[in-house]
Amino acid sequence: MDTYGLFTLLVFLICVLGSGTWGRVRITLPVIVHLRWDRYHYSRHLPGGRTMPSRDTTLRRFFYLQGQLILLKEGDPKHILDAFCDTIFQLEAPVVLYINNPYHHNANPAATHYFRSITQYLGLPVITWDPEYHVTSQTHTTTRNLVISPTIHHQVKAMLSMLGRYNWTDIAIVTTNETGHTDFISAVNDLTRVSKSADPYDDINHPKPRFRILETLILRNVRNEVKFCQEMQRLIEVDSRIMLLYSRRSQTYVVMECARKLKITGSEYVWILSMDSVPKNSKTWVNPTKLPYGLFGVWYDYGRRAMTEAIDTSVEIWKNALKMIAQDTERGGSVNLQTPNFTCSSNNTGFWTGGAHMYEKLRSVSMINKGGQEIDFNAAGQLMHPKLKIINIQRNSLKGGKNWTVVGQWTREGLSMRRITWPGEALGPPKGKPKRRFLRIATLRENPYVIYQEMPQGGVCGPHTVACEVYPRDKETFKRLSNETDTKCCTGLSIDLLFELSAELEFDYELFEVYDGQWGAEVNKEWNGLVRVLLDKKADMVITSLKINPERSTAVDFSVPFLKTGITIIVSIRDGAISPTALLEPYDYPSWCFILLFSVHATGASIFIFEWLSPYGLDRGSALSKDHKFSLFRSLWLIWAMLFSAAVTTDTPRGISSRFLGNMWALFALVFLASYTANLAAFMITKKEYYDLSGIQDWRLQNPKAMKPPFKFGTIPNGSTETNIKSNDPEMYKYMRRYNRPSVAEGIKAVTRQQLHAFIYDATVLEYLAGQDKKCSLITVGKWGAMTGYGVAFPRGSPWIDKVNGVILRLTQKGEMERLQKFWLSGACHNNKKKDPNSNGFGQGAKSSYLGIRNFTSAFIFLAGGIALGVILVVLEHLYFRFGRNRLKQWDKRGCCALVSLSMGRSLTFKQYVTKAIDVHKRHRCTDRTCQAQFWEVQHELDAALGKVDKLQTLITHIKQQKEDRCVWRFESEGHPNLSPAKTTTPLRENAEERHVEGACEQPRRRQDDADKKGSDVSQVEKVRDELMKLLQDECERESVI
């Protein structure tokens, strides 16, 4: 390396500590400089010089400052490493000051990088003045570098402050492949991203600028001017008006010359140069004779004065850090600060962990240097408030020609500007954006992407709608009815996207419908529809639900997809038939037979048997009475009533065993009804049936004639769906062509009317139509096929493609496209439909709806069957009373029928005849007065006999209850037929024998007499009954004769 080609100043600040005790320690500062440096000028700013003795007593108590100058002849890695091994390691330096001035000397960037790599590997803290220090992020890093010079990050912040001042928000980054260009691009991207995510308003409620990068152009063919200028053509394509340039100072002339030839240096274009891009010599900038007026640049001083100030500032930072260490030691604090022990003679040299404490002390320094600049550092060790200048090429009014003039300052308080010469020497700042362009945009109706609405009476479309020119068309055939267009209002998802594009890219437009109403397909090697208008240059853009496919991509250009889609199938939902036996379907037929035939009758018979045998029940027939009526049929009636929880009158058993069995049956009935009711609802609801096709490869689409009748399906002609099927499945295309419909609306109508079994089209459109169907009678089935997306179409080579792509990508990242999709593609029917995952070919689903008569078909059938069975039972009952009763009476001598059915038993006894005779008399009264008098006399005798029988039965019951008593019993006159009421009022002592009889319970004679008397009464009653029966029969025969 040339001795005069390197000018690097290395200042090492050494803090040597004693082992175990604090004494006054000698601090040596070796300065490694180039031969051309003025030894005397810089040495007097180092420790030991005339300006370095410290007057701080605390610092002087612990440290002695001394400086030493070391000359470095070469900047190659060997000489740098020798400097570390022979000098720095021997002095045990804990802090390194590194000053690199590439603008003042022809420095080697590799040497600088090598020096930083050594200090980072060793963990040595570094105070550096280095414009080539390429750290763009403000985040904390693992390096121990304290940067006191402005960095690329600061330069970009100053540039964006200037852009924000004049509202220049759309920018282009232009760089060569010079070292550091990636850091420059990264800094611009980071700060641009921050401007978009930060609060949109400042402290005084003014909107903050939100920057947008239109293009990042890296120029690589610097030596080939022709290719170099061709690369810069990209700036014209993106129509950028603000350019940020980062290049080598010698390359700036080439860039600006190409810009002049491309006519992008006029009054509408702004160029801002970084510090590296400004042409300069070893002292200051050079005369910009070849550069245009109005060019801006970022600048800071780098001459001898700036270097002297940098050394003074570095030494002051170092001294303040040492002072903080001394103060901690003076207060008795435990300071763990050790000097590094590096050596080049062994392999033990490694990372110095003790440097972290010294680095934190250095980074925490806050002061004002001799130049009045505030010195503070952020978490990454960068200077927080550097001073930068904004320079501008202006006309020299005194000497003529051009010169650089400082027109602004960027400090902690912000940016201040004055006396600016604008590009092209214009009177005011340029707008920074291209003029609004006017575009012709073609479209075609497709709900919900483009929806036609009638124009309001005022002639102005409402919000979120735009005026569009459409042709009147036949609703069924979709053919154009006139060459004149009607003005309507268009809205939809694609129209909302058009609003975003127009606002972002600042263009006006005219929206019109394509002439032939076709989407764009190649028919007889000629394109039609939307593709045709782009090929003929009749439209600058097509925006609707135009699908991207390989065929169309060969003719026109597409943007990135703004929404994914595919091919799917829509079918109609039909109400399935409800089974007439739905009422019985909760259980299978063997279960019904076991429950209704076996369980019911077995349990009813068991209850009756238990009641018959129980002493608390019928007691094998010996406990039959009027109060307890129970039979086999009544037991079955009880079982049926409990099973269905019927609110009817039933007779309950009295036996413990029969009651226990009845409770068990009640528990069984509860479980039965709960499970039956729970399952009944599923069979009573109407089933929704549809063709559950698996997708475009379903067997019904591949072989439609296998079904009887053949499966009918179609799509719209000359569309992307038909093109895809035609190229991938020609046989299917030939079959379905006869069932195609001119529009999607006609296809949906055909499916609803069962004219088509299925309709194939774009997935998102069919999903929308299924969700918006008023009757919710449509559903999409199968997997999506031929996945693609909707895009904005352009003619070949359109300059709008990249701009639109950028807007779509930003909208996608912000979630705006997802919001539009949820807003426009949602429907009320989507949440109500449920597909059966277990369906095989013919799907079934259920949805909430009102219950109609069809839902209760099985219940009505069951009720009608019950009515018919009731009629049959009525007929059988009459046949029994007319023909079967007399024969059954002759057979039933012991009353066994009453055990089976009390009603049947009563029909065979005397009481039944009496009741029947009374009913006959009520219906057929005698007209003969003699007959009537005799009837009433007999009736009176019958009533008296029945009353006497009741009294005797009461007396017999009373005697049985007294049978076991051994005490004296009393027989009072009440209820005795032979004692009059007058005798009962006689005093007890006067007529004791007449009123009552006292004696032991064992008097057999009295009981015998009473029994004989009762027997005679019963015989008398039976005699009266026979006579009455005979009279009744005679009466009936006489009435029948009459």
Side-chain angles (χ1 to χ4, degrees):
M1 178 179 178
D2 187 8
T3 303
Y4 295 96
L6 172 66
F7 187 79
T8 303
L9 175 61
L10 300 176
V11 184
F12 297 87
L13 306 181
I14 314 301
C15 175
V16 183
L17 304 180
S19 58
T21 62
W22 280 89
R24 194 175 185 208
V25 181
R26 182 181 298 275
I27 305 299
T28 305
L29 179 61
V31 182
I32 304 176
V33 298
H34 195 268
L35 287 176
R36 294 176 59 186
W37 274 74
D38 186 349
R39 180 189 297 267
Y40 173 76
H41 176 79
Y42 292 104
S43 296
R44 62 192 183 125
H45 294 272
L46 301 177
R50 288 181 297 177
T51 62
M52 282 301 299
S54 175
R55 298 180 181 179
D56 189 280
T57 58
T58 303
L59 185 61
R60 293 179 64 183
R61 186 180 303 122
F62 293 96
F63 302 106
Y64 175 77
L65 306 181
Q66 182 178 355
Q68 178 180 352
L69 187 63
I70 303 174
L71 299 178
L72 181 65
K73 297 182 179 181
E74 298 293 338
D76 58 277
K78 180 180 182 302
H79 285 80
I80 295 176
L81 187 59
D82 289 342
F84 274 92
C85 295
D86 299 338
T87 306
I88 300 174
F89 289 170
Q90 298 298 325
L91 296 174
E92 298 182 349
V95 180
V96 177
L97 170 61
Y98 173 66
I99 296 180
N100 174 38
N101 194 336
Y103 308 134
H104 199 281
H105 308 280
N106 295 322
N108 185 3
T112 303
H113 177 73
Y114 183 67
F115 175 81
R116 288 201 301 261
S117 299
I118 293 177
T119 56
Q120 183 175 354
Y121 174 77
L122 296 175
L124 280 173
V126 177
I127 303 175
T128 177
W129 193 96
D130 183 10
E132 294 181 340
Y133 188 78
H134 302 309
V135 177
T136 61
S137 176
Q138 297 274 6
T139 58
H140 181 68
T141 61
T142 58
T143 60
R144 295 173 180 174
N145 295 325
L146 216 62
V147 185
I148 62 174
S149 63
T151 63
I152 292 179
H153 186 86
H154 296 124
Q155 296 181 47
V156 174
K157 289 184 69 174
M159 290 179 177
L160 295 186
S161 296
M162 181 179 175
L163 298 181
R165 181 184 182 94
Y166 301 104
N167 198 27
W168 297 334
T169 56
D170 296 341
I171 59 179
I173 304 174
V174 183
T175 71
T176 60
N177 56 357
E178 178 65 15
T179 302
H181 75 281
T182 56
D183 300 305
F184 180 80
I185 295 173
S186 178
V188 178
N189 287 327
D190 289 344
L191 294 175
T192 301
R193 192 180 304 110
V194 171
S195 70
K196 295 179 181 178
S197 60
D199 189 355
Y201 297 95
D202 57 16
D203 297 336
I204 57 176
N205 207 27
H206 286 172
K208 292 182 180 180
R210 302 171 69 89
F211 299 104
R212 183 179 60 173
I213 300 175
L214 300 180
E215 180 66 22
T216 299
L217 181 61
I218 302 177
L219 303 172
R220 304 185 185 278
N221 297 300
V222 181
R223 297 180 179 179
N224 190 332
E225 185 177 352
V226 176
K227 293 184 178 180
F228 193 80
C229 295
Q230 289 177 354
E231 291 178 348
M232 292 185 62
Q233 287 276 358
R234 184 64 184 163
L235 298 175
I236 299 177
E237 295 176 0
V238 299
D239 205 3
S240 176
R241 303 303 171 97
I242 308 297
M243 273 70 72
L244 307 182
L245 178 61
Y246 180 88
S247 65
R248 191 185 304 171
R249 51 194 172 188
S250 60
Q251 297 171 346
T252 302
Y253 293 106
V254 181
V255 173
M256 298 311 300
E257 178 62 22
C258 287
R260 185 189 65 79
K261 293 179 179 179
L262 296 174
K263 299 180 180 180
I264 53 176
T265 58
S267 59
E268 296 182 359
Y269 298 89
V270 178
W271 287 80
I272 304 177
L273 278 59
S274 65
M275 179 68 178
D276 296 280
S277 304
V278 177
K280 61 182 77 66
N281 53 30
S282 61
K283 297 181 180 181
T284 184
W285 55 67
V286 298
N287 194 12
T289 55
K290 298 181 180 180
L291 300 178
Y293 286 107
L295 198 66
F296 293 95
V298 178
W299 184 264
Y300 55 85
D301 293 333
Y302 58 88
R304 170 180 289 190
R305 182 177 180 181
M307 294 298 97
T308 301
E309 184 177 337
I311 294 175
D312 290 339
T313 301
S314 301
V315 172
E316 288 297 321
I317 294 172
W318 169 64
K319 289 169 59 177
N320 277 274
L322 291 178
K323 181 179 179 180
M324 286 187 286
I325 295 175
Q327 291 174 347
D328 292 341
T329 306
E330 193 174 40
R331 288 193 298 265
S334 177
V335 180
N336 184 17
L337 183 62
Q338 299 177 358
T339 58
N341 186 17
F342 298 130
T343 178
C344 294
S345 60
S346 65
N347 295 329
N348 295 327
T349 302
F351 188 79
W352 179 43
T353 57
H357 179 70
M358 187 65 191
Y359 176 73
E360 289 300 323
K361 293 296 182 182
L362 292 169
R363 194 174 60 84
S364 60
V365 170
S366 178
M367 67 177 195
I368 299 178
N369 66 1
K370 295 180 180 180
Q373 181 182 358
E374 295 184 12
I375 304 298
D376 294 290
F377 300 96
N378 58 18
Q382 296 182 16
L383 192 65
M384 295 180 63
H385 309 293
K387 290 183 178 180
L388 295 174
K389 299 177 182 179
I390 305 298
I391 58 177
N392 180 228
I393 297 180
Q394 298 184 354
R395 187 182 297 276
N396 192 333
S397 59
L398 297 177
K399 299 180 180 180
K402 304 174 183 178
N403 66 340
W404 288 101
T405 304
V406 177
V407 295
Q409 296 281 344
W410 185 76
T411 62
R412 180 175 184 175
E413 288 75 21
L415 179 68
S416 59
M417 302 286 290
R418 62 183 179 85
R419 297 180 181 179
I420 301 173
T421 296
W422 299 109
E425 296 186 290
L427 297 178
K431 187 178 180 182
K433 296 180 181 180
K435 297 180 180 179
R436 271 187 100 83
R437 301 281 298 275
F438 183 82
L439 304 180
R440 286 181 52 82
I441 302 177
T443 188
L444 191 61
R445 177 166 61 180
E446 179 84 282
N447 297 347
Y449 296 93
V450 178
I451 304 174
Y452 293 168
Q453 296 178 352
E454 294 296 330
M455 177 68 71
Q457 293 182 354
V460 179
C461 295
H464 301 288
T465 59
V466 62
C468 52
E469 300 295 326
V470 302
Y471 291 95
R473 299 183 186 277
D474 185 80
K475 294 182 178 180
E476 295 184 358
T477 61
F478 206 63
K479 292 183 178 180
R480 189 179 64 257
L481 301 178
S482 173
N483 292 330
E484 302 263 339
T485 59
D486 297 331
T487 303
K488 294 185 179 296
C489 294
C490 291
T491 186
L493 189 151
S494 297
I495 302 301
D496 284 351
L497 175 60
L498 179 59
F499 286 147
E500 295 289 342
L501 295 176
S502 175
E504 288 279 345
L505 303 179
E506 296 187 346
F507 63 82
D508 297 321
Y509 54 87
E510 176 191 7
L511 192 64
F512 65 94
E513 185 185 57
V514 66
Y515 183 79
D516 57 0
Q518 300 296 322
W519 289 96
E522 193 173 12
V523 180
N524 297 327
K525 298 183 179 181
E526 288 289 334
W527 286 94
N528 59 16
L530 295 171
V531 177
R532 182 77 263 165
V533 296
L534 293 176
L535 294 176
D536 294 342
K537 304 295 183 179
K538 295 181 179 179
D540 301 302
M541 185 186 303
V542 167
I543 185 164
T544 179
S545 57
L546 186 64
K547 290 174 66 175
I548 304 172
N549 59 26
E551 291 79 12
R552 290 172 179 166
S553 298
T554 60
V556 297
D557 289 335
F558 282 95
S559 68
V560 295
F562 61 83
L563 190 65
K564 291 182 179 179
T565 187
I567 296 175
T568 193
I569 308 165
I570 192 169
V571 296
S572 63
I573 303 175
R574 305 181 302 279
D575 292 335
I578 299 179
S579 174
T581 60
L583 206 63
L584 303 177
E585 290 182 2
Y587 296 106
D588 56 7
Y589 291 108
S591 298
W592 280 117
C593 294
F594 186 77
I595 294 173
L596 300 182
L597 298 182
F598 177 75
S599 299
V600 171
H601 295 86
T603 307
S606 299
I607 291 177
F608 175 73
I609 294 173
F610 291 162
E611 183 70 11
W612 172 262
L613 298 176
S614 176
Y616 292 97
L618 298 179
D619 195 12
R620 292 179 293 181
S622 61
L624 294 174
S625 66
K626 183 179 180 181
D627 296 335
H628 183 43
K629 301 176 181 179
F630 205 74
S631 64
L632 177 61
F633 277 16
R634 295 204 174 195
S635 176
L636 296 175
W637 178 251
L638 173 65
I639 292 298
W640 282 104
M642 293 173 64
L643 181 63
F644 294 111
S645 300
V648 296
T649 303
T650 58
D651 294 321
T652 58
R654 292 182 177 179
I656 296 176
S657 59
S658 55
R659 287 188 176 186
F660 175 75
L661 184 57
N663 290 331
M664 297 303 295
W665 177 258
L667 180 61
F668 171 81
L670 177 64
V671 176
F672 167 76
L673 283 180
S675 60
Y676 177 77
T677 306
N679 289 279
L680 181 62
F683 294 96
M684 296 292 288
I685 295 176
T686 306
K687 303 297 182 184
K688 300 298 182 180
E689 299 178 347
Y690 53 85
Y691 292 104
D692 192 11
L693 306 177
S694 60
I696 200 68
Q697 300 297 328
D698 190 86
W699 65 272
R700 280 159 288 196
L701 302 180
Q702 298 295 324
N703 189 15
K705 296 182 180 180
M707 291 187 62
K708 300 299 181 182
F711 197 76
K712 300 177 182 178
F713 59 94
T715 184
I716 64 171
N718 299 325
S720 175
T721 302
E722 186 187 55
T723 303
N724 183 276
I725 296 176
K726 181 179 179 180
S727 59
N728 294 295
D729 200 332
E731 294 298 327
M732 182 189 299
Y733 165 74
K734 292 180 181 178
Y735 173 82
M736 64 179 290
R737 190 168 52 180
R738 73 191 77 170
Y739 301 115
N740 283 349
R741 293 297 186 269
S743 65
V744 178
E746 291 297 319
I748 297 299
K749 188 183 298 183
V751 171
T752 305
R753 295 177 179 178
Q754 304 297 320
Q755 297 174 354
L756 289 180
H757 296 118
F759 186 74
I760 307 174
Y761 197 60
D762 290 355
T764 56
V765 177
L766 295 185
E767 290 282 358
Y768 166 78
L769 294 175
Q772 295 292 329
D773 185 49
K774 294 181 179 180
K775 298 181 179 180
C776 293
S777 60
L778 299 171
I779 188 172
T780 56
V781 295
K783 297 180 179 179
W784 290 13
M787 294 300 297
T788 181
Y790 297 125
V792 182
F794 304 90
R796 283 290 189 183
S798 173
W800 293 95
I801 298 177
D802 292 333
K803 300 178 183 179
V804 172
N805 286 342
V807 175
I808 293 176
L809 291 176
R810 288 193 295 271
L811 294 176
T812 304
Q813 292 175 354
K814 294 191 301 182
E816 184 66 18
M817 295 308 305
E818 183 179 0
R819 185 192 67 81
L820 292 177
Q821 182 178 357
K822 290 180 179 179
F823 178 81
W824 286 106
L825 299 182
S826 61
C829 294
H830 283 159
N831 296 329
N832 293 334
K833 295 173 184 175
K834 192 189 305 181
K835 298 181 182 179
D836 183 6
N838 298 322
S839 61
N840 186 13
F842 196 76
Q844 291 184 347
K847 68 170 187 150
S848 300
S849 59
Y850 294 105
L851 297 179
I853 296 178
R854 296 185 61 187
N855 300 95
F856 293 96
T857 303
S858 59
F860 288 127
I861 293 175
F862 187 79
L863 180 60
I867 294 173
L869 183 60
V871 173
I872 295 174
L873 292 177
V874 169
V875 174
L876 294 177
E877 188 176 358
H878 279 276
L879 293 177
Y880 163 75
F881 273 89
R882 185 172 295 274
F883 303 107
R885 186 175 56 172
N886 292 332
R887 295 183 180 180
L888 187 60
K889 180 181 178 182
Q890 296 175 2
W891 176 79
D892 186 21
K893 299 295 185 181
R894 298 184 179 182
C896 295
C897 291
L899 298 177
V900 178
S901 174
L902 293 178
S903 299
M904 183 182 297
R906 284 197 303 268
S907 69
L908 302 177
T909 60
F910 164 73
K911 189 174 182 179
Q912 178 71 19
Y913 285 105
V914 174
T915 305
K916 180 180 179 181
I918 294 173
D919 293 338
V920 172
H921 174 70
K922 288 180 179 179
R923 291 194 300 270
H924 307 285
R925 294 183 177 274
C926 299
T927 57
D928 188 359
R929 293 185 177 181
T930 303
C931 175
Q932 188 175 7
Q934 292 178 356
F935 178 77
W936 282 111
E937 182 179 357
V938 173
Q939 185 176 7
H940 178 70
E941 292 178 357
L942 176 61
D943 292 338
L946 293 175
K948 196 171 183 180
V949 169
D950 291 339
K951 290 180 180 180
L952 291 175
Q953 289 179 350
T954 304
L955 181 59
I956 292 171
T957 304
H958 185 68
I959 292 173
K960 286 184 177 181
Q961 292 177 356
Q962 300 289 336
K963 186 175 181 180
E964 300 297 331
D965 278 344
R966 300 300 180 183
C967 61
V968 179
W969 57 275
R970 177 179 297 170
F971 182 79
E972 294 183 354
S973 61
E974 183 177 77
H976 199 284
N978 296 327
L979 296 179
S980 63
K983 296 179 181 181
T984 62
T985 60
T986 307
L988 178 61
R989 293 182 178 180
E990 294 179 0
N991 298 312
E993 290 83 359
E994 295 179 358
R995 293 192 321 107
H996 63 279
V997 180
E998 294 182 0
C1001 295
E1002 290 85 358
Q1003 294 180 355
R1005 181 173 295 179
R1006 180 179 297 276
R1007 290 197 301 271
Q1008 185 65 35
D1009 293 341
D1010 291 339
D1012 294 341
K1013 188 172 183 180
K1014 293 170 187 172
S1016 62
D1017 291 338
V1018 174
S1019 301
Q1020 186 178 1
V1021 172
E1022 291 179 353
K1023 183 178 179 181
V1024 172
R1025 184 185 67 181
D1026 294 337
E1027 293 178 356
L1028 181 60
M1029 189 67 185
K1030 185 176 180 181
L1031 290 174
L1032 288 173
Q1033 289 179 355
D1034 294 341
E1035 180 68 20
C1036 291
E1037 291 177 0
R1038 185 166 58 253
E1039 288 183 0
S1040 62
V1041 172
I1042 294 173

